[in-house]
Amino acid sequence: MARILLRKMAKNQTGTIAAVKVGGELGQRIRDMGLVPGTDISIQGRAPLNDPVALRVMGGTLSLRNNEADFIEVEVDDE
Amino acid sequence: MSNDITIALAGNPNAGKTTLFNALTGSRQHVGNYPGVTVETKEGFYAKDGRRCRLVDLPGIYSLSPYSEEEVVARDYLVNERPGVIINIVDASNLERNLYLSCQFMEMGVPMVIALNMVDVAKKRGIVIDHERLSELIGQPVCPIVARSGQGIEQLMATAMAHAMEHGKWRPAKISYGDDLDAVMIDLTKIIEDKHFLTKDYPARWTALKYLEKDDRHLSIGDAADVEVSRQLVEKVEEVAKHLEQTMGTEPDAMIADHRYGFIKSIAKQNVVQRSVDQDRLYTSDRIDRVLTNRFAGPLIMLLILWGLYDFTFTYSALPVAWGEAFFSWLGNLAELYVPDGYFKSMLISGVIDGIGGVLGFVPIIMFMFFGIALLEDSGYLARVAFMMDRIFRIFGLHGSSVMAYIISGGIAGGCAVPGVMATRTLRSPKERMATMLTVPFMNCGAKLPVLALLVGAFFTKNQARYMFLFTLLAWLTALVAAKILRMTVLRGEPTPFVLELPPYRFPTFQGLLIHTWEKTWQYIKKAGTVILGISILLWAMMTFPVLPAGERQHFEEQRQQLMAQSAPALVAELQQEDALSPAALRLRQELLTLDGAEAEAGLRHSLAGRIGMGLEKLSWLPGFDWQTNIALVGGFAAKEVIISTLGTSYSLGAVDPEESDSLGAVLAKDPRWDRVKAMSVIIFVMFYAPCFVTVACIIKESGSWKWGVFSMAFNTSFAFLLSTLVYQLGSRLL
């Protein structure tokens, strides 16, 4: 297991959120959408200019900007 | 009917809330705005077996945080209006995420029934939910429904009404947030109950929770009620926050969110959700996304779709627009024939009929555009547009969703800023929305095009198409740069978090599309219509009063009589017939028309608008405008195509039809006061100065404040003045 930033994840890679290191409105929005520690996610794809990123969370699809994804740490299996 | 039960509908965006509302109320609904905010709430009635209830559709939200207007409206509604029960609509195929909001309603304690929607879609995805078990575990009634087909909604309403009768009192649910926070919650609740702090409106446990979450809005309500108690609570919260930070490196609000999800996941695991199919398999929606958001195909398809929407809006609305114009010109002719000459007639024709015609002229465009947007929005495609365009628009401090508004306003030359301003409603982030709304009028709308065509045709005869294309690019560049300037100054601030849901693709319901379209169109007619009629009459008055002194009018009349007296009586008689005039009679008619033109010019010059135009010459020498141009630009505030007819009048040609402006073009091209530099300066000014007043009225309505309307006029005009001055001063020195 390794802990990496959400931004570094590759397409179709899966992992479990380990930490969300931001407060305030952004932190609240991220958590509202289900991105809390312990949640499984997988990378669905990226927009044509590589940003934002689309992820699958609990049966729904969300998108986040890369600089927002930087606050999220994910546990992934070692390749 | 005062004992009607009030039921509030609440839920996440995309959970099918609007579909359920439409299914329940049909056409018996109306839209209302809360004072001071732009968020809409809809109301309607549902009647069954002699019992009736009032339904209120709250805005779609993910949470009850204090960060967005929608969330605050929903919260305040529940507290201030105390509905008998809320129906919380939950997407069955996305249960855990949707229950997050339900969880917060339970914390608040408001009586609630959960409508488990789209159970059919969930089933197809291999998800089966035991709704009885779910109801047992969360302690709230749960009714499975399919809002699109109406399945289960009678049962839902019966349950909701019965629930409202039984449970009048709010009973906050006790959810555990971990040992540390649970202990503090007990302390806080005790203080709040002892001091009766806000307990009249809010359950004590809810206040305690909001203090723990450091909810600014609730804190300020608390401060206003009792500063002492409020401070005491904040101190307690800070103590535990410090402790959490040291021991776990987290904050109370994060901790609370984690535990809410923990609570939801524990419920889902207790045999509530059964998944029979592998969760990772591709749903139809994901397969569509593989193409529609593909790195290469995605942007191309998006361009095609947006162009299609634009084409649909402006091509299909052209015919009804033409009918409308024909009707109002027929009405004008009728007034011309039957109303006695005088100011009343002039006001009726130029102020009222033209004004109402102007308002209604936009109606078909708005209807078609909203139909198209509703189609894109309800199908889920609009979220993909935002997803793909966000990277580019973010550079300018905007949002991916801004692209729609720009395109409709004339990003493809020939749109209209009125529906463009209204299209900004699809943006949920307030600052990005304002910046978009204020800069869409920079696009080349259909009314500016004839003005540009006139000047390009007269002064840049070669490469006309190339110039028009250039002006389209210039409009985009300017609008985006202006948006950036606004976002760095008056609309300064961090970008609103983008965190956006990409809902699964769905076929929109036809009823939903029609209701959506009709609603927006009616709002436009009602709200913008009244303002526009008033201003239209005002502009008419400005260009009419004060009228030429009697002496001067006498002078023109004498000249006319003199002309007639000099001609043979047979020739004067010949003028009465419409066609087949002899050359001599034609010449006479031309001379008379010239005289009429000269009188109209003198009249215009004498009017308030004319005086303003001449007064403005003190400034307008900078961008190189003469008084005639100034009046035309003042008139262009009514509608940009008016610039042509006013310019015609002020150059003594009489009113010029914007569609046939060749004669005016020829006059301007020959006029020594005009050259290519001046023409370019005027073009730039026309492209960027104050939006027409219909647009301004819409900006005021959409932003909820007249200040933004005034701002847009002042900002755009100064901006255009600066650019034109630059062009004219540099141009006349260099060329």
Side-chain angles (χ1 to χ4, degrees), chain A residues 29 31-34 39 44 51-52 56 58 61-63 65 68, chain B residues 63 71 94 97 261 265 283 286 387 390 394 497-498 500 502:
Chain A
R29 288 279 163 253
R31 282 184 265 273
D32 285 350
M33 303 302 266
T39 305
Q44 188 103 338
D51 187 10
R56 172 153 293 259
M58 300 186 222
T61 308
L62 295 182
S63 80
R65 288 173 176 161
E68 294 164 347
Chain B
S63 149
E71 291 167 334
N94 209 344
R97 282 235 342 268
Y261 272 108
K265 282 172 189 165
Y283 302 130
D286 298 335
F387 174 67
D390 185 65
R394 197 172 79 205
F498 183 69
L500 174 84
L502 300 176

PDB file of all heavy atoms in Angstrom, chain A residues 29 31-34 39 44 51-52 56 58 61-63 65 68, chain B residues 63 71 94 97 261 265 283 286 387 390 394 497-498 500 502:
ATOM      1  N   ARG A  29     -17.390  21.150   0.821  1.00  0.00           N
ATOM      2  CA  ARG A  29     -17.929  20.665  -0.456  1.00  0.00           C
ATOM      3  C   ARG A  29     -17.405  19.260  -0.779  1.00  0.00           C
ATOM      4  O   ARG A  29     -18.144  18.412  -1.231  1.00  0.00           O
ATOM      5  CB  ARG A  29     -17.536  21.614  -1.583  1.00  0.00           C
ATOM      6  CG  ARG A  29     -18.249  22.910  -1.555  1.00  0.00           C
ATOM      7  CD  ARG A  29     -19.638  22.796  -2.163  1.00  0.00           C
ATOM      8  NE  ARG A  29     -20.424  23.948  -1.768  1.00  0.00           N
ATOM      9  CZ  ARG A  29     -21.409  23.928  -0.894  1.00  0.00           C
ATOM     10  NH1 ARG A  29     -21.769  22.792  -0.341  1.00  0.00           N
ATOM     11  NH2 ARG A  29     -22.050  25.024  -0.566  1.00  0.00           N
ATOM     12  N   ARG A  31     -16.365  17.006   1.292  1.00  0.00           N
ATOM     13  CA  ARG A  31     -16.979  16.026   2.189  1.00  0.00           C
ATOM     14  C   ARG A  31     -18.450  15.797   1.861  1.00  0.00           C
ATOM     15  O   ARG A  31     -18.927  14.672   1.892  1.00  0.00           O
ATOM     16  CB  ARG A  31     -16.824  16.478   3.633  1.00  0.00           C
ATOM     17  CG  ARG A  31     -15.432  16.217   4.170  1.00  0.00           C
ATOM     18  CD  ARG A  31     -15.347  16.590   5.640  1.00  0.00           C
ATOM     19  NE  ARG A  31     -14.841  17.942   5.777  1.00  0.00           N
ATOM     20  CZ  ARG A  31     -13.558  18.234   5.836  1.00  0.00           C
ATOM     21  NH1 ARG A  31     -12.647  17.283   5.770  1.00  0.00           N
ATOM     22  NH2 ARG A  31     -13.151  19.471   5.972  1.00  0.00           N
ATOM     23  N   ASP A  32     -19.156  16.903   1.506  1.00  0.00           N
ATOM     24  CA  ASP A  32     -20.579  16.775   1.162  1.00  0.00           C
ATOM     25  C   ASP A  32     -20.783  15.748   0.053  1.00  0.00           C
ATOM     26  O   ASP A  32     -21.811  15.086  -0.009  1.00  0.00           O
ATOM     27  CB  ASP A  32     -21.138  18.110   0.647  1.00  0.00           C
ATOM     28  CG  ASP A  32     -21.351  19.112   1.757  1.00  0.00           C
ATOM     29  OD1 ASP A  32     -21.250  18.711   2.930  1.00  0.00           O
ATOM     30  OD2 ASP A  32     -21.618  20.284   1.445  1.00  0.00           O
ATOM     31  N   MET A  33     -19.834  15.681  -0.855  1.00  0.00           N
ATOM     32  CA  MET A  33     -20.005  14.797  -1.994  1.00  0.00           C
ATOM     33  C   MET A  33     -19.552  13.370  -1.699  1.00  0.00           C
ATOM     34  O   MET A  33     -19.486  12.543  -2.593  1.00  0.00           O
ATOM     35  CB  MET A  33     -19.240  15.337  -3.209  1.00  0.00           C
ATOM     36  CG  MET A  33     -19.625  16.744  -3.613  1.00  0.00           C
ATOM     37  SD  MET A  33     -21.364  16.897  -3.983  1.00  0.00           S
ATOM     38  CE  MET A  33     -21.337  16.643  -5.728  1.00  0.00           C
ATOM     39  N   GLY A  34     -19.208  13.116  -0.478  1.00  0.00           N
ATOM     40  CA  GLY A  34     -18.888  11.751  -0.099  1.00  0.00           C
ATOM     41  C   GLY A  34     -17.404  11.431  -0.091  1.00  0.00           C
ATOM     42  O   GLY A  34     -17.015  10.278   0.106  1.00  0.00           O
ATOM     43  N   THR A  39     -13.565   6.097   2.002  1.00  0.00           N
ATOM     44  CA  THR A  39     -14.377   5.906   0.808  1.00  0.00           C
ATOM     45  C   THR A  39     -13.521   5.369  -0.337  1.00  0.00           C
ATOM     46  O   THR A  39     -12.409   5.845  -0.564  1.00  0.00           O
ATOM     47  CB  THR A  39     -15.005   7.247   0.373  1.00  0.00           C
ATOM     48  OG1 THR A  39     -15.728   7.777   1.471  1.00  0.00           O
ATOM     49  CG2 THR A  39     -15.918   7.067  -0.823  1.00  0.00           C
ATOM     50  N   GLN A  44     -12.181   7.883 -13.246  1.00  0.00           N
ATOM     51  CA  GLN A  44     -13.002   7.613 -14.416  1.00  0.00           C
ATOM     52  C   GLN A  44     -12.355   8.174 -15.685  1.00  0.00           C
ATOM     53  O   GLN A  44     -12.457   7.601 -16.748  1.00  0.00           O
ATOM     54  CB  GLN A  44     -14.345   8.286 -14.191  1.00  0.00           C
ATOM     55  CG  GLN A  44     -15.369   7.955 -15.197  1.00  0.00           C
ATOM     56  CD  GLN A  44     -16.329   6.943 -14.601  1.00  0.00           C
ATOM     57  OE1 GLN A  44     -15.995   6.239 -13.664  1.00  0.00           O
ATOM     58  NE2 GLN A  44     -17.504   6.865 -15.151  1.00  0.00           N
ATOM     59  N   ASP A  51      -7.537  18.403 -16.946  1.00  0.00           N
ATOM     60  CA  ASP A  51      -8.058  18.995 -15.716  1.00  0.00           C
ATOM     61  C   ASP A  51      -9.444  19.494 -16.055  1.00  0.00           C
ATOM     62  O   ASP A  51      -9.591  20.088 -17.110  1.00  0.00           O
ATOM     63  CB  ASP A  51      -7.128  20.158 -15.318  1.00  0.00           C
ATOM     64  CG  ASP A  51      -7.471  20.736 -13.963  1.00  0.00           C
ATOM     65  OD1 ASP A  51      -8.288  20.138 -13.246  1.00  0.00           O
ATOM     66  OD2 ASP A  51      -6.929  21.793 -13.624  1.00  0.00           O
ATOM     67  N   PRO A  52     -10.467  19.266 -15.312  1.00  0.00           N
ATOM     68  CA  PRO A  52     -10.574  18.510 -14.067  1.00  0.00           C
ATOM     69  C   PRO A  52     -10.494  16.992 -14.265  1.00  0.00           C
ATOM     70  O   PRO A  52     -10.349  16.524 -15.379  1.00  0.00           O
ATOM     71  CB  PRO A  52     -11.971  18.898 -13.561  1.00  0.00           C
ATOM     72  CG  PRO A  52     -12.563  19.855 -14.521  1.00  0.00           C
ATOM     73  CD  PRO A  52     -11.720  19.863 -15.724  1.00  0.00           C
ATOM     74  N   ARG A  56     -15.229   8.078  -9.729  1.00  0.00           N
ATOM     75  CA  ARG A  56     -16.428   7.345  -9.328  1.00  0.00           C
ATOM     76  C   ARG A  56     -16.404   7.168  -7.822  1.00  0.00           C
ATOM     77  O   ARG A  56     -15.417   6.732  -7.249  1.00  0.00           O
ATOM     78  CB  ARG A  56     -16.438   5.994 -10.038  1.00  0.00           C
ATOM     79  CG  ARG A  56     -17.521   5.062  -9.574  1.00  0.00           C
ATOM     80  CD  ARG A  56     -17.902   4.116 -10.660  1.00  0.00           C
ATOM     81  NE  ARG A  56     -18.542   4.847 -11.741  1.00  0.00           N
ATOM     82  CZ  ARG A  56     -19.865   4.876 -11.928  1.00  0.00           C
ATOM     83  NH1 ARG A  56     -20.640   4.224 -11.115  1.00  0.00           N
ATOM     84  NH2 ARG A  56     -20.379   5.546 -12.917  1.00  0.00           N
ATOM     85  N   MET A  58     -19.007   5.851  -4.709  1.00  0.00           N
ATOM     86  CA  MET A  58     -20.272   5.263  -4.250  1.00  0.00           C
ATOM     87  C   MET A  58     -21.361   5.301  -5.324  1.00  0.00           C
ATOM     88  O   MET A  58     -22.452   5.806  -5.107  1.00  0.00           O
ATOM     89  CB  MET A  58     -20.821   6.040  -3.044  1.00  0.00           C
ATOM     90  CG  MET A  58     -19.929   6.075  -1.860  1.00  0.00           C
ATOM     91  SD  MET A  58     -20.832   6.863  -0.506  1.00  0.00           S
ATOM     92  CE  MET A  58     -19.616   7.897   0.209  1.00  0.00           C
ATOM     93  N   THR A  61     -20.733   9.792 -10.202  1.00  0.00           N
ATOM     94  CA  THR A  61     -19.518  10.332 -10.801  1.00  0.00           C
ATOM     95  C   THR A  61     -19.375  11.795 -10.410  1.00  0.00           C
ATOM     96  O   THR A  61     -20.317  12.569 -10.509  1.00  0.00           O
ATOM     97  CB  THR A  61     -19.568  10.205 -12.324  1.00  0.00           C
ATOM     98  OG1 THR A  61     -19.871   8.853 -12.662  1.00  0.00           O
ATOM     99  CG2 THR A  61     -18.249  10.591 -12.949  1.00  0.00           C
ATOM    100  N   LEU A  62     -18.182  12.168  -9.968  1.00  0.00           N
ATOM    101  CA  LEU A  62     -17.910  13.537  -9.543  1.00  0.00           C
ATOM    102  C   LEU A  62     -16.751  14.082 -10.333  1.00  0.00           C
ATOM    103  O   LEU A  62     -15.920  13.323 -10.828  1.00  0.00           O
ATOM    104  CB  LEU A  62     -17.465  13.565  -8.084  1.00  0.00           C
ATOM    105  CG  LEU A  62     -18.412  13.142  -7.011  1.00  0.00           C
ATOM    106  CD1 LEU A  62     -17.709  13.319  -5.669  1.00  0.00           C
ATOM    107  CD2 LEU A  62     -19.640  14.007  -7.068  1.00  0.00           C
ATOM    108  N   SER A  63     -16.660  15.399 -10.447  1.00  0.00           N
ATOM    109  CA  SER A  63     -15.430  15.934 -11.007  1.00  0.00           C
ATOM    110  C   SER A  63     -14.863  16.997 -10.098  1.00  0.00           C
ATOM    111  O   SER A  63     -15.585  17.701  -9.410  1.00  0.00           O
ATOM    112  CB  SER A  63     -15.665  16.443 -12.431  1.00  0.00           C
ATOM    113  OG  SER A  63     -16.251  17.699 -12.392  1.00  0.00           O
ATOM    114  N   ARG A  65     -11.325  19.816  -9.708  1.00  0.00           N
ATOM    115  CA  ARG A  65     -10.146  20.407 -10.356  1.00  0.00           C
ATOM    116  C   ARG A  65      -8.900  19.792  -9.724  1.00  0.00           C
ATOM    117  O   ARG A  65      -8.923  19.401  -8.552  1.00  0.00           O
ATOM    118  CB  ARG A  65     -10.128  21.908 -10.134  1.00  0.00           C
ATOM    119  CG  ARG A  65     -11.192  22.609 -10.949  1.00  0.00           C
ATOM    120  CD  ARG A  65     -11.277  24.069 -10.591  1.00  0.00           C
ATOM    121  NE  ARG A  65     -12.245  24.738 -11.448  1.00  0.00           N
ATOM    122  CZ  ARG A  65     -12.803  25.914 -11.162  1.00  0.00           C
ATOM    123  NH1 ARG A  65     -12.478  26.535 -10.053  1.00  0.00           N
ATOM    124  NH2 ARG A  65     -13.661  26.461 -11.983  1.00  0.00           N
ATOM    125  N   GLU A  68      -7.835  21.117  -6.496  1.00  0.00           N
ATOM    126  CA  GLU A  68      -8.684  20.711  -5.384  1.00  0.00           C
ATOM    127  C   GLU A  68      -8.360  19.270  -4.975  1.00  0.00           C
ATOM    128  O   GLU A  68      -8.405  18.912  -3.804  1.00  0.00           O
ATOM    129  CB  GLU A  68     -10.158  20.838  -5.770  1.00  0.00           C
ATOM    130  CG  GLU A  68     -10.567  22.282  -5.996  1.00  0.00           C
ATOM    131  CD  GLU A  68     -11.891  22.441  -6.738  1.00  0.00           C
ATOM    132  OE1 GLU A  68     -12.405  21.461  -7.296  1.00  0.00           O
ATOM    133  OE2 GLU A  68     -12.396  23.566  -6.770  1.00  0.00           O
TER     134      GLU A  68
ATOM    135  N   SER B  63     -26.196  19.511   1.030  1.00  0.00           N
ATOM    136  CA  SER B  63     -25.896  19.607   2.444  1.00  0.00           C
ATOM    137  C   SER B  63     -26.590  20.839   3.015  1.00  0.00           C
ATOM    138  O   SER B  63     -27.166  21.632   2.276  1.00  0.00           O
ATOM    139  CB  SER B  63     -24.367  19.696   2.571  1.00  0.00           C
ATOM    140  OG  SER B  63     -23.964  20.433   3.673  1.00  0.00           O
ATOM    141  N   GLU B  71     -28.541  26.541  -0.065  1.00  0.00           N
ATOM    142  CA  GLU B  71     -28.573  25.833   1.206  1.00  0.00           C
ATOM    143  C   GLU B  71     -29.163  26.697   2.309  1.00  0.00           C
ATOM    144  O   GLU B  71     -29.932  26.218   3.150  1.00  0.00           O
ATOM    145  CB  GLU B  71     -27.160  25.373   1.569  1.00  0.00           C
ATOM    146  CG  GLU B  71     -26.683  24.281   0.638  1.00  0.00           C
ATOM    147  CD  GLU B  71     -25.202  23.997   0.745  1.00  0.00           C
ATOM    148  OE1 GLU B  71     -24.428  24.888   1.131  1.00  0.00           O
ATOM    149  OE2 GLU B  71     -24.809  22.869   0.427  1.00  0.00           O
ATOM    150  N   ASN B  94     -27.961   5.707  -5.875  1.00  0.00           N
ATOM    151  CA  ASN B  94     -26.869   6.496  -5.324  1.00  0.00           C
ATOM    152  C   ASN B  94     -27.160   6.743  -3.851  1.00  0.00           C
ATOM    153  O   ASN B  94     -27.039   7.860  -3.355  1.00  0.00           O
ATOM    154  CB  ASN B  94     -26.826   7.829  -6.094  1.00  0.00           C
ATOM    155  CG  ASN B  94     -25.441   8.410  -6.142  1.00  0.00           C
ATOM    156  OD1 ASN B  94     -24.567   8.006  -5.374  1.00  0.00           O
ATOM    157  ND2 ASN B  94     -25.240   9.357  -7.016  1.00  0.00           N
ATOM    158  N   ARG B  97     -24.653   8.446  -0.878  1.00  0.00           N
ATOM    159  CA  ARG B  97     -24.385   9.880  -1.037  1.00  0.00           C
ATOM    160  C   ARG B  97     -25.618  10.712  -0.762  1.00  0.00           C
ATOM    161  O   ARG B  97     -25.551  11.780  -0.166  1.00  0.00           O
ATOM    162  CB  ARG B  97     -23.857  10.161  -2.441  1.00  0.00           C
ATOM    163  CG  ARG B  97     -22.400   9.800  -2.603  1.00  0.00           C
ATOM    164  CD  ARG B  97     -21.572  10.961  -3.098  1.00  0.00           C
ATOM    165  NE  ARG B  97     -22.371  12.014  -3.691  1.00  0.00           N
ATOM    166  CZ  ARG B  97     -22.653  12.094  -4.971  1.00  0.00           C
ATOM    167  NH1 ARG B  97     -22.189  11.194  -5.802  1.00  0.00           N
ATOM    168  NH2 ARG B  97     -23.372  13.076  -5.420  1.00  0.00           N
ATOM    169  N   TYR B 261     -21.046   9.863   7.520  1.00  0.00           N
ATOM    170  CA  TYR B 261     -20.878   8.815   6.505  1.00  0.00           C
ATOM    171  C   TYR B 261     -20.705   7.450   7.148  1.00  0.00           C
ATOM    172  O   TYR B 261     -21.178   6.444   6.623  1.00  0.00           O
ATOM    173  CB  TYR B 261     -19.723   9.137   5.554  1.00  0.00           C
ATOM    174  CG  TYR B 261     -20.190   9.969   4.390  1.00  0.00           C
ATOM    175  CD1 TYR B 261     -19.850  11.297   4.277  1.00  0.00           C
ATOM    176  CD2 TYR B 261     -21.024   9.406   3.414  1.00  0.00           C
ATOM    177  CE1 TYR B 261     -20.314  12.067   3.215  1.00  0.00           C
ATOM    178  CE2 TYR B 261     -21.487  10.169   2.361  1.00  0.00           C
ATOM    179  CZ  TYR B 261     -21.127  11.490   2.268  1.00  0.00           C
ATOM    180  OH  TYR B 261     -21.597  12.229   1.223  1.00  0.00           O
ATOM    181  N   LYS B 265     -22.939   4.338   6.200  1.00  0.00           N
ATOM    182  CA  LYS B 265     -22.354   3.087   5.707  1.00  0.00           C
ATOM    183  C   LYS B 265     -22.751   1.916   6.588  1.00  0.00           C
ATOM    184  O   LYS B 265     -22.981   0.803   6.095  1.00  0.00           O
ATOM    185  CB  LYS B 265     -20.834   3.213   5.614  1.00  0.00           C
ATOM    186  CG  LYS B 265     -20.391   3.985   4.376  1.00  0.00           C
ATOM    187  CD  LYS B 265     -18.901   4.273   4.381  1.00  0.00           C
ATOM    188  CE  LYS B 265     -18.547   5.235   3.254  1.00  0.00           C
ATOM    189  NZ  LYS B 265     -17.201   5.813   3.418  1.00  0.00           N
ATOM    190  N   TYR B 283     -21.676   1.191 -16.796  1.00  0.00           N
ATOM    191  CA  TYR B 283     -23.064   1.494 -17.053  1.00  0.00           C
ATOM    192  C   TYR B 283     -23.159   2.147 -18.425  1.00  0.00           C
ATOM    193  O   TYR B 283     -22.183   2.672 -18.951  1.00  0.00           O
ATOM    194  CB  TYR B 283     -23.605   2.458 -16.004  1.00  0.00           C
ATOM    195  CG  TYR B 283     -23.480   1.945 -14.597  1.00  0.00           C
ATOM    196  CD1 TYR B 283     -22.921   2.729 -13.601  1.00  0.00           C
ATOM    197  CD2 TYR B 283     -23.922   0.670 -14.276  1.00  0.00           C
ATOM    198  CE1 TYR B 283     -22.816   2.265 -12.302  1.00  0.00           C
ATOM    199  CE2 TYR B 283     -23.820   0.201 -12.984  1.00  0.00           C
ATOM    200  CZ  TYR B 283     -23.269   0.994 -12.001  1.00  0.00           C
ATOM    201  OH  TYR B 283     -23.166   0.528 -10.724  1.00  0.00           O
ATOM    202  N   ASP B 286     -21.642   5.511 -18.584  1.00  0.00           N
ATOM    203  CA  ASP B 286     -20.181   5.584 -18.670  1.00  0.00           C
ATOM    204  C   ASP B 286     -19.716   5.329 -20.089  1.00  0.00           C
ATOM    205  O   ASP B 286     -18.735   5.908 -20.556  1.00  0.00           O
ATOM    206  CB  ASP B 286     -19.551   4.550 -17.735  1.00  0.00           C
ATOM    207  CG  ASP B 286     -19.921   4.831 -16.293  1.00  0.00           C
ATOM    208  OD1 ASP B 286     -20.222   5.992 -15.997  1.00  0.00           O
ATOM    209  OD2 ASP B 286     -19.908   3.888 -15.486  1.00  0.00           O
ATOM    210  N   PHE B 387     -17.448  20.361 -17.482  1.00  0.00           N
ATOM    211  CA  PHE B 387     -16.283  19.519 -17.203  1.00  0.00           C
ATOM    212  C   PHE B 387     -15.194  19.733 -18.255  1.00  0.00           C
ATOM    213  O   PHE B 387     -14.019  19.910 -17.934  1.00  0.00           O
ATOM    214  CB  PHE B 387     -16.767  18.059 -17.184  1.00  0.00           C
ATOM    215  CG  PHE B 387     -15.687  17.019 -17.047  1.00  0.00           C
ATOM    216  CD1 PHE B 387     -14.951  16.912 -15.880  1.00  0.00           C
ATOM    217  CD2 PHE B 387     -15.431  16.139 -18.085  1.00  0.00           C
ATOM    218  CE1 PHE B 387     -13.982  15.939 -15.756  1.00  0.00           C
ATOM    219  CE2 PHE B 387     -14.456  15.167 -17.956  1.00  0.00           C
ATOM    220  CZ  PHE B 387     -13.722  15.072 -16.786  1.00  0.00           C
ATOM    221  N   ASP B 390     -13.907  23.734 -18.418  1.00  0.00           N
ATOM    222  CA  ASP B 390     -13.509  24.431 -17.195  1.00  0.00           C
ATOM    223  C   ASP B 390     -12.066  24.914 -17.219  1.00  0.00           C
ATOM    224  O   ASP B 390     -11.767  26.021 -16.801  1.00  0.00           O
ATOM    225  CB  ASP B 390     -13.723  23.534 -15.983  1.00  0.00           C
ATOM    226  CG  ASP B 390     -13.440  24.285 -14.706  1.00  0.00           C
ATOM    227  OD1 ASP B 390     -14.183  25.231 -14.432  1.00  0.00           O
ATOM    228  OD2 ASP B 390     -12.455  23.963 -14.018  1.00  0.00           O
ATOM    229  N   ARG B 394     -11.416  28.802 -16.560  1.00  0.00           N
ATOM    230  CA  ARG B 394     -10.877  29.089 -15.240  1.00  0.00           C
ATOM    231  C   ARG B 394      -9.764  30.124 -15.319  1.00  0.00           C
ATOM    232  O   ARG B 394      -9.590  30.920 -14.406  1.00  0.00           O
ATOM    233  CB  ARG B 394     -10.354  27.791 -14.633  1.00  0.00           C
ATOM    234  CG  ARG B 394     -10.151  27.883 -13.153  1.00  0.00           C
ATOM    235  CD  ARG B 394      -9.834  26.545 -12.583  1.00  0.00           C
ATOM    236  NE  ARG B 394      -8.449  26.205 -12.826  1.00  0.00           N
ATOM    237  CZ  ARG B 394      -8.002  24.954 -12.885  1.00  0.00           C
ATOM    238  NH1 ARG B 394      -8.841  23.952 -12.757  1.00  0.00           N
ATOM    239  NH2 ARG B 394      -6.746  24.701 -13.083  1.00  0.00           N
ATOM    240  N   PRO B 497     -15.442  26.425  -5.248  1.00  0.00           N
ATOM    241  CA  PRO B 497     -15.050  25.032  -5.499  1.00  0.00           C
ATOM    242  C   PRO B 497     -15.839  24.444  -6.661  1.00  0.00           C
ATOM    243  O   PRO B 497     -17.032  24.705  -6.811  1.00  0.00           O
ATOM    244  CB  PRO B 497     -15.393  24.343  -4.183  1.00  0.00           C
ATOM    245  CG  PRO B 497     -15.296  25.393  -3.160  1.00  0.00           C
ATOM    246  CD  PRO B 497     -15.714  26.663  -3.833  1.00  0.00           C
ATOM    247  N   PHE B 498     -15.140  23.694  -7.491  1.00  0.00           N
ATOM    248  CA  PHE B 498     -15.741  23.180  -8.715  1.00  0.00           C
ATOM    249  C   PHE B 498     -16.534  21.904  -8.462  1.00  0.00           C
ATOM    250  O   PHE B 498     -17.474  21.614  -9.182  1.00  0.00           O
ATOM    251  CB  PHE B 498     -14.636  22.925  -9.743  1.00  0.00           C
ATOM    252  CG  PHE B 498     -15.121  22.460 -11.069  1.00  0.00           C
ATOM    253  CD1 PHE B 498     -15.825  23.329 -11.891  1.00  0.00           C
ATOM    254  CD2 PHE B 498     -14.887  21.179 -11.509  1.00  0.00           C
ATOM    255  CE1 PHE B 498     -16.277  22.915 -13.128  1.00  0.00           C
ATOM    256  CE2 PHE B 498     -15.336  20.751 -12.745  1.00  0.00           C
ATOM    257  CZ  PHE B 498     -16.030  21.625 -13.552  1.00  0.00           C
ATOM    258  N   LEU B 500     -18.197  18.952  -8.745  1.00  0.00           N
ATOM    259  CA  LEU B 500     -19.402  18.940  -9.573  1.00  0.00           C
ATOM    260  C   LEU B 500     -19.818  17.506  -9.824  1.00  0.00           C
ATOM    261  O   LEU B 500     -18.979  16.650 -10.068  1.00  0.00           O
ATOM    262  CB  LEU B 500     -19.060  19.622 -10.900  1.00  0.00           C
ATOM    263  CG  LEU B 500     -20.082  19.644 -12.020  1.00  0.00           C
ATOM    264  CD1 LEU B 500     -21.025  20.787 -11.812  1.00  0.00           C
ATOM    265  CD2 LEU B 500     -19.377  19.800 -13.354  1.00  0.00           C
ATOM    266  N   LEU B 502     -21.370  14.629 -12.083  1.00  0.00           N
ATOM    267  CA  LEU B 502     -21.683  14.323 -13.474  1.00  0.00           C
ATOM    268  C   LEU B 502     -22.806  13.289 -13.446  1.00  0.00           C
ATOM    269  O   LEU B 502     -22.549  12.097 -13.304  1.00  0.00           O
ATOM    270  CB  LEU B 502     -20.452  13.768 -14.208  1.00  0.00           C
ATOM    271  CG  LEU B 502     -19.231  14.684 -14.270  1.00  0.00           C
ATOM    272  CD1 LEU B 502     -18.052  13.976 -14.928  1.00  0.00           C
ATOM    273  CD2 LEU B 502     -19.528  15.976 -15.006  1.00  0.00           C
TER     274      LEU B 502
END
